[in-house]
Amino acid sequence: MKFKAPVTKNEEYEVDIIDLTYQGLGVAKIEDYPLFIEDTLPGEKALIKVIKVNQNFGFAKLEKLLTKSPDRVENIDKNYTRTGIAPLQHLKYDAQLEFKQHQIQELFDKSKMDVEVLPTIGMDNPTHYRNKAQIPVRSINGKLQTGFFRKHSHDLVTIEDFYIQDPEIDKAIVVVRDILRKYHIEPYNETKHNGVIRNIMVRRGHYTNEMMIGLITRTKKIPMVDIIVREIKEALPEVTSIMQNINLSDGNGLLGKSTVCLDGKKYIEDKLLGLKFAISLNSFYQVNPEQTEKLYSLAIEKAQLDGTQTVIDAYCGIGTISLAVAEHAKKVYGVEIVKEAIEDAKINAQKNHINNTTFVTGSAEEQMEKWQAQGLKPDVIMVDPPRKGLASSFIDSAAQVAPKKIVYVSCNPSTLVRDARRLAEYGYEITQPVQPVDQFPQTVHVESVTVFEKK
Ligand code: SAH
């Protein structure tokens, strides 16, 4: 029998919004058939129009709000929702923090794990916090423009105030855009795969105010490069590094293989918890400095170090956690897959006169196996993996070396819960409430710290 959805495309319906998905979409049900609707909140009544009908669920767009949630923020700029820059901007900040706490709680509950999740630690001023931007450059009606892609598309929406970025970064993007316009630099064309400039990247040190401008190009050469570099430096005195990354591919990946320094240093410096860090163009560095200090302080406090322990920091990036932990530990080992990040980590150890750290380039899962084979016995393992969470082979080797504690910094609650179940099979239990820290206000991303201890 062919399935028939209880709704029809392009028809309007009056619905009650009953839930909010982890992607920030409101949920309504018509005869048990779920519809997902942007810019709607639980408790609201809405007139909606169905735009897509799938087998088991559909999408609709908001035509008119009939009743409003007390948690709604009015007068928002819809471009931040359309582009996905700030998918939660229509939800009051306190409610955003609760939404994130509940999301983790629900996943633990569903997986029948008895775990408490604390209220999310938020920011006092939850906008304009990002220390890094990577902005697409495209041509619209023959004019070079910067902005952000509309969600699920490559239509550029022109934007100057990005709402969640450091305003100095926003200003720098406009300055660079105008210089590129002045010298008639061709924006990348994704259909024809020609043009020169694909993206502008900007990083700015929160404490140092050092700025890096990265020009991501489709070509090896940038016409008029010397004068462009000179004008950028003249217009933006904070700039201490101008880099070019060459991305020859036809695909959507941001960075290509080769990076060259056009002017100044190959990295900028910033500080975290009083330590200095060198940050290269392609190294990972937490984007919300104020919240990162809270996050790391918590992770370190939860590791309960007294200077006698051996610690592994897996997925260590440029060594931020490793170096912050080093003064509380006997020895710290860091592993990270990006070679440049490990080079930064080694420079960072020197810069801070820290000599009880060892950094290795490699995949955390393979390196953990090597450390296990070498008989390394860490007291604590700290992990801060990307969204896909820990490889199961990593968990196997980590459990074999039997640390007393595993401190898990997670940016994805669903892989955190999955990994928690695997760790439980090895006798590692969550011994303290999970602490969410809001690293990404106005967005749906959820960061948290969890402590596992061997029974
Ligand atoms: N702890 C660091 C970095 C966390 S982000 C900080 O807070 O700044 C996660 C890091 O894991 C990134 O630097 C990424 O390059 C790295 N990574 C991704 N997959 C990896 C793997 N399989 N093994 C080791 N590192 C990996």
Side-chain angles (χ1 to χ4, degrees), residues 284 286 296 315-317 320-321 336-338 362-365 384 386:
F284 175 91
Q286 297 280 355
Y296 288 174
Y315 310 86
C316 70
T320 39
I321 295 179
E336 155 67 44
I337 206 156
V338 174
S363 87
E365 47 277 28
D384 185 4

Side-chain angles (χ1 to χ4, degrees), residues 1-19:
M1 195 180 76
K2 201 165 178 312
F3 166 82
K4 176 99 179 61
V7 296
T8 313
K9 192 174 165 179
N10 293 327
E11 286 291 306
E12 290 187 341
Y13 301 85
E14 248 183 64
V15 295
D16 292 312
I17 309 300
I18 53 171
D19 204 357

Side-chain angles (χ1 to χ4, degrees), residues 153-185:
S153 88
H154 275 200
D155 303 336
L156 191 83
V157 178
T158 59
I159 292 175
E160 290 189 1
D161 170 358
F162 286 83
Y163 186 53
I164 60 170
Q165 283 167 195
D166 180 336
E168 293 302 320
I169 291 182
D170 289 352
K171 282 187 213 160
I173 292 162
V174 170
V175 165
V176 175
R177 179 199 70 187
D178 291 347
I179 295 171
L180 295 173
R181 277 183 187 167
K182 181 172 163 192
Y183 293 102
H184 305 286
I185 303 304

Side-chain angles (χ1 to χ4, degrees), residues 260-391:
V260 288
C261 184
L262 299 177
D263 195 82
K265 290 183 298 183
K266 282 198 298 195
Y267 50 81
I268 58 159
E269 268 186 33
D270 196 20
K271 286 187 186 161
L272 271 179
L273 299 173
L275 296 168
K276 288 185 223 157
F277 290 99
I279 311 150
S280 319
L281 178 113
N282 39 359
S283 293
F284 175 91
Y285 185 63
Q286 297 280 355
V287 295
N288 187 333
E290 186 184 323
Q291 293 297 92
T292 300
E293 293 194 323
K294 295 181 194 166
L295 181 76
Y296 288 174
S297 303
L298 253 164
I300 293 165
E301 188 189 306
K302 286 181 182 286
Q304 285 181 309
L305 304 170
D306 62 13
T308 62
Q309 288 91 347
T310 299
V311 179
I312 285 178
D313 175 17
Y315 310 86
C316 70
I318 61 170
T320 39
I321 295 179
S322 317
L323 296 173
V325 159
E327 60 170 319
H328 308 282
K330 188 170 87 194
K331 174 81 196 176
V332 183
Y333 295 86
V335 59
E336 155 67 44
I337 206 156
V338 174
K339 190 171 103 261
E340 288 85 351
I342 287 294
E343 285 164 11
D344 287 351
K346 289 178 180 166
I347 295 174
N348 292 333
Q350 280 174 4
K351 272 188 195 296
N352 295 289
H353 312 289
I354 292 174
N355 42 34
N356 59 339
T357 51
T358 298
F359 291 103
V360 194
T361 306
S363 87
E365 47 277 28
E366 282 171 22
Q367 188 56 39
M368 200 59 231
E369 218 176 296
K370 284 186 196 155
W371 278 328
Q372 182 202 345
Q374 289 162 11
L376 185 66
K377 289 276 171 216
D379 300 284
V380 178
I381 297 182
M382 306 187 77
V383 295
D384 185 4
R387 292 184 56 75
K388 67 173 192 274
L390 303 174

